[in-house]
Amino acid sequence: MMRAPCSFLVILLVTSTGYVVETQPTGHLLPLGSHQPAESPGVDVLHAAPSPEDFYREYVEASRPFVLKNHARDMPAFKYWTDQYLRSTYGHIKVDVEQGKKENRSNSLWVIPLSEFLDRYNDSDMYMVHSLPKEMMGDIWLIKSLLCGGFTSNIIDAVTWFSSGGTKSVIHFDALDNINCLFDGSKELILFPRSHSEKFNLKSRGSYSTADVDRIDLIKYPEFANVPWYNVTMQPGDCLYIPYRWAHSVRSWGRNLAINIWFVHMHKFDYEDCLVKGQLPEFAPLSSHGISAENEDQMRGEMIDFIKYNGGSIGQKDMQAAVKYFGATEKDLSVIFDFMDTNRDGKVVVREVEKINYESFKKLVEVLEASGDDDDEEDDDDDGGEEEPAENMNEITSKEPKSHLDTNKSEL
């Protein structure tokens, strides 16, 4: 689709010597997405879950999002998760609660009982962002697309998003693939293709922008001035697939309750797994599979992706690109490169990464986590507003990502 060059707003300023022409990009200091219309046609709209193989080939491997309409309506969570049910059944569970519906990553998380959150969320500037405990997993079903091919062994987290609406996330991307199912309320998402997301000036720790989504400063953040974007509106019962490393921002309305399933980005489809499992049901409870992937699996997937993204092999010449990709120091990445270059030929290929054992990857994760902690000390200006004082809640904690590759639990 052909795009015209970025348009500009022309302002005439009268001075003592005459007129001065000043230009501003279209959409400057307006909400995200005001710079140009959304792409048309938009993301695929499906009315049945694709088979695991089709999901992998046509969407995961091809990096294409889709909306699956009304597919979550049969899930127990959709049918039963009223405030009264949640209070009586799971009210004792302690959950993570984030201060501020407009996301600000300098804010803290609190841990409070779910029953207390239910007492307060309608009248408070807060929302719940909590990894699903085992006792609630039976209420969440995995769609057929995930039930074979290796997806179930690569699930790394399932997160509950719960608010009274009005939430706004930062622009960010996740180093994981994501299926989100909405049980109540509505969501609007702005999605940016990976090919453009990779060029955004994002914080290396958490992969997010400090731009204010309500008032995008296109002079300070020119990368958003002429970028194509997709618009998705989710209604209760819809599920959305957001591909790996697609940047996005999310807004919500009404009592808003959703679950997202994060899984490690896969580079192979396990056909034998599907042969063994045979004919698949439309759904399976998350409790029958659980959360089995680890940060080490995620890092292996990230390493393989980086190698493939750079032509099938990497060397010392690729260290600057690796620093931006992984958010680690060149020194630490050079050490990791030397470790992975098992045949000492000056380059690392996918086969070498696949052969590294789990314990070795665990040590690599520790190196990159430490490197990410150092990066946190260098903080950019944040356009998202001033940090609000903490409320008096129990067990104040800091938001700590699970690894340097973690999403930091930004909405969706």
Side-chain angles (χ1 to χ4, degrees):
M1 182 176 179
M2 294 295 293
R3 279 281 178 202
C6 181
S7 55
F8 289 83
L9 174 67
V10 179
I11 300 174
L12 294 179
L13 300 178
V14 181
T15 70
S16 58
T17 57
Y19 292 102
V20 176
V21 177
E22 183 176 297
T23 60
Q24 292 182 344
T26 298
H28 179 56
L29 300 182
L30 294 175
L32 182 66
S34 300
H35 63 290
Q36 65 187 42
E39 295 293 287
S40 181
V43 306
D44 288 359
V45 178
L46 308 181
H47 297 278
S51 70
E53 183 179 357
D54 287 346
F55 173 53
Y56 180 76
R57 296 297 176 200
E58 296 178 21
Y59 295 100
V60 175
E61 194 172 48
S63 189
R64 293 171 54 206
F66 65 75
V67 177
L68 182 57
K69 299 296 291 183
N70 297 315
H71 203 64
R73 288 180 173 268
D74 291 328
M75 294 187 190
F78 183 91
K79 295 178 179 180
Y80 303 126
W81 278 14
T82 63
D83 286 3
Q84 181 178 356
Y85 175 88
L86 291 171
R87 186 190 306 278
S88 62
T89 310
Y90 304 118
H92 61 284
I93 293 174
K94 290 189 175 181
V95 297
D96 295 333
V97 175
E98 187 165 320
Q99 174 194 345
K101 293 181 183 180
K102 184 175 182 179
E103 185 180 15
N104 182 337
R105 294 202 174 182
S106 64
N107 289 348
S108 299
L109 289 177
W110 300 282
V111 179
I112 60 175
L114 177 57
S115 59
E116 183 178 342
F117 172 80
L118 292 169
D119 289 338
R120 302 182 58 178
Y121 81 102
N122 281 311
D123 303 310
S124 300
D125 187 23
M126 58 193 277
Y127 71 103
M128 184 178 118
V129 185
H130 188 71
S131 292
L132 196 69
K134 287 184 178 180
E135 59 192 291
M136 298 179 75
M137 288 184 181
D139 291 349
I140 303 301
W141 290 354
L142 300 177
I143 65 173
K144 179 174 68 177
S145 308
L146 297 176
L147 295 184
C148 77
F151 292 110
T152 54
S153 60
N154 279 289
I155 296 173
I156 199 166
D157 206 357
V159 180
T160 311
W161 307 89
F162 191 5
S163 76
S164 59
T167 60
K168 302 171 187 177
S169 81
V170 294
I171 303 164
H172 66 284
F173 68 70
D174 302 320
L176 297 160
D177 286 290
N178 181 357
I179 288 183
N180 180 285
C181 293
L182 181 64
F183 304 132
D184 204 0
S186 63
K187 290 185 185 290
E188 183 177 16
L189 294 94
I190 290 178
L191 304 174
F192 300 102
R194 175 181 178 177
S195 57
H196 292 272
S197 302
E198 300 279 2
K199 301 172 185 175
F200 291 167
N201 182 25
L202 303 180
K203 294 275 287 181
S204 57
R205 178 76 158 182
S207 303
Y208 70 97
S209 172
T210 56
D212 184 349
V213 294
D214 286 327
R215 203 167 177 267
I216 292 286
D217 187 333
L218 295 178
I219 306 300
K220 185 176 180 180
Y221 302 95
E223 64 266 33
F224 299 115
N226 197 32
V227 62
W229 62 282
Y230 292 85
N231 177 260
V232 174
T233 299
M234 297 179 68
Q235 301 296 341
D238 292 348
C239 295
L240 171 68
Y241 168 59
I242 303 177
Y244 170 86
R245 295 179 80 92
W246 272 56
H248 51 281
S249 178
V250 190
R251 295 174 183 262
S252 70
W253 289 271
R255 179 183 184 269
N256 216 268
L257 181 54
I259 288 284
N260 83 282
I261 306 295
W262 268 318
F263 52 99
V264 173
H265 189 58
M266 290 168 33
H267 298 278
K268 292 181 180 179
F269 185 80
D270 187 346
Y271 289 97
E272 185 176 351
D273 182 49
C274 291
L275 287 173
V276 169
K277 291 179 178 177
Q279 186 172 356
L280 299 172
E282 284 298 313
F283 301 97
L286 177 58
S287 57
S288 65
H289 296 280
I291 309 298
S292 55
E294 300 287 348
N295 293 340
E296 291 69 34
D297 300 306
Q298 182 182 351
M299 181 179 171
R300 191 189 301 270
E302 284 273 276
M303 287 289 185
I304 292 172
D305 178 78
F306 180 71
I307 292 170
K308 288 186 172 182
Y309 207 65
N310 285 274
S313 68
I314 57 171
Q316 289 291 344
K317 63 180 175 55
D318 300 300
M319 284 302 103
Q320 283 300 318
V323 168
K324 179 174 175 60
Y325 188 95
F326 291 105
T329 67
E330 185 170 351
K331 178 181 177 182
D332 286 336
L333 286 169
S334 293
V335 171
I336 290 170
F337 169 82
D338 289 340
F339 177 82
M340 292 191 299
D341 183 17
T342 55
N343 63 2
R344 297 294 180 260
D345 64 350
K347 61 183 180 181
V348 176
V349 297
V350 170
R351 184 176 62 256
E352 289 175 300
V353 177
E354 290 175 337
K355 289 182 177 180
I356 297 174
N357 63 43
Y358 178 86
E359 287 302 318
S360 295
F361 254 107
K362 188 173 182 179
K363 292 178 182 178
L364 297 184
V365 167
E366 291 170 357
V367 169
L368 288 173
E369 281 181 333
S371 185
D373 288 338
D374 292 340
D375 178 72
D376 277 348
E377 295 175 5
E378 300 176 10
D379 200 15
D380 296 336
D381 292 336
D382 191 335
D383 283 358
E386 296 182 2
E387 181 176 352
E388 298 181 11
E391 299 179 28
N392 183 21
M393 297 175 117
N394 297 331
E395 299 181 44
I396 295 179
T397 62
S398 298
K399 282 194 277 189
E400 286 295 336
K402 297 183 330 186
S403 79
H404 76 292
L405 302 170
D406 188 62
T407 61
N408 208 10
K409 289 187 181 175
S410 185
E411 185 165 5
L412 293 195

